[in-house]
Amino acid sequence: MIVCFDIGGTAIKGALAYAVDDVRPVPRQPTPIHDFAAFVSVLQAVIDQAGERPERVALSIAGIIDPDTGRAVVANVPCIHGRPLRQDLEAALGLPVLVANDADCFVLAEAGVGAGRGHRVVFGVILGTGVGGGLVIDGQLINREGGFAGEWGHGPVAATQAGNPPVQLPRFQCGCGLSGCIDAVCSARGMEKLHAHLHGTTLTSEEIVSTWQAGDAAASRTIDVYVDVLTGPLALVANVTGTTIIPVGGGLSNAEALLVAIDTAVRSRILRKFDRPLVVKAECSVEPGLIGAALLGLYAD
């Protein structure tokens, strides 16, 4: 049995995991974002509920473990930001601890019990507040020791000319400090910036998608350009990783027609040809971070 957690800036979700198909959530608790001792106490309280000593503790965090220093980069929970989190928690809890990024846990969940079941290489994608991803090969995260693998949303690679007919695009500024990232133009907020740039009007991403599906010409142009910008880099990722399935999570994944358009464009741009969808909606829509953390602990050597 392992104890797993999905750490958010507002709440800590916990569960006791006995097997892949036996993950038992416990009531969530507010996250003590400024007090590390209180943070540890919340974890310890869940561990105590188990009634037995777990093999290990596994955490999903909305951040990165720097592979060179082992320190956590977690902006929304200041009390763990900058800490050698694994070592500090192992010392405080007296148990082995595993820590992974929430997007990595999402992909691990999809590979284990979601849309990626039966696939040796699974590259998962988040399209929502940000653009992220993760890579699982043979059931194991590439980022087992932390790191930035799977972060395909960042890097100055966004097209400056896209759509049919082509339109010139700026290199939008990204929150990571670079310009021209896929995250800056293909996240939900990025789609909104793209629409405003093309048409001079402001709509939410939900409104853009819904009016596109209703046949609106301006929204259709935005989606045409959006899909063109997104799918070139995603096709490259598919070629590089050899993934045979790309589960998509995040708010934009709820638009089935958008995923179909992305899938069609990606499959037309990759070397390997598939006669079935490659880009698909994620199946673990409920608590993927917690499920992924459970699998991270259960699959550990």
Side-chain angles (χ1 to χ4, degrees), residues 5 7 12 38-48 59 89 93:
F5 297 95
I7 309 297
I12 294 176
F39 179 88
V40 171
S41 293
V42 172
L43 305 190
Q44 186 65 60
V46 176
I47 293 168
D48 292 343
L59 280 72
L89 288 178
L93 299 172

Side-chain angles (χ1 to χ4, degrees), residues 114-130:
R117 291 188 310 275
H119 291 265
R120 180 172 172 264
V121 181
V122 180
F123 187 84
V125 165
I126 300 293
L127 294 178
T129 304

